[in-house]
């Protein structure tokens, strides 16, 4: 979606650490999850620093993602059950 919308992005696979999505996707029968993040410095302090453009691009990406969701797509997210 980011590529087709011309939204700058990076794809990363975490090898350590994680987010709450690591537990969410295992809950009940499974909850489809995706983690979208904005690069930040000093994330474990009182004041992280981000680039405003990264934040705005993330908003554009989320809006584009939600606009593409339809019934068939949503149902396919849990078709493995």
């Amino acid at each position: 979606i980011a590529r087709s919308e011309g939204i700058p992005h990076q794809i990363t696979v975490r090898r350590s650490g994680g987010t709450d999505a690591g537990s969410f996707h295992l809950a009940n029968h499974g909850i489809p999850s995706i983690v979208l993040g904005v690069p930040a410095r000093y994330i474990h302090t009182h004041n992280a620093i981000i680039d405003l453009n990264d934040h705005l691009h993330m908003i554009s990406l989320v809006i584009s993602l939600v606009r593409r969701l339809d019934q068939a797509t949503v149902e396919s997210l849990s078709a493995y059950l």
Side-chain angles (χ1 to χ4, degrees):
I1 292 173
R3 187 176 300 122
S4 68
E5 295 288 332
I7 300 169
H9 65 285
Q10 295 178 350
I11 298 174
T12 301
V13 176
R14 295 187 68 109
R15 305 234 185 270
S16 64
T19 68
D20 290 339
S23 298
F24 294 164
H25 86 280
L26 300 173
N28 300 317
H29 295 291
I31 300 171
S33 305
I34 185 170
V35 176
L36 302 172
V38 174
R41 288 183 180 254
Y42 318 117
I43 61 170
H44 295 289
T45 66
H46 298 294
N47 297 303
I49 298 172
I50 65 169
D51 184 304
L52 180 59
N53 288 318
D54 290 337
H55 177 72
L56 297 174
H57 291 309
M58 178 63 70
I59 292 170
S60 296
L61 178 59
V62 171
I63 290 169
S64 296
L65 175 70
V66 171
R67 283 186 175 151
R68 289 178 185 226
L69 290 177
D70 58 16
Q71 187 67 31
T73 302
V74 172
E75 288 174 1
S76 74
L77 296 174
S78 58
Y80 58 90
L81 299 176

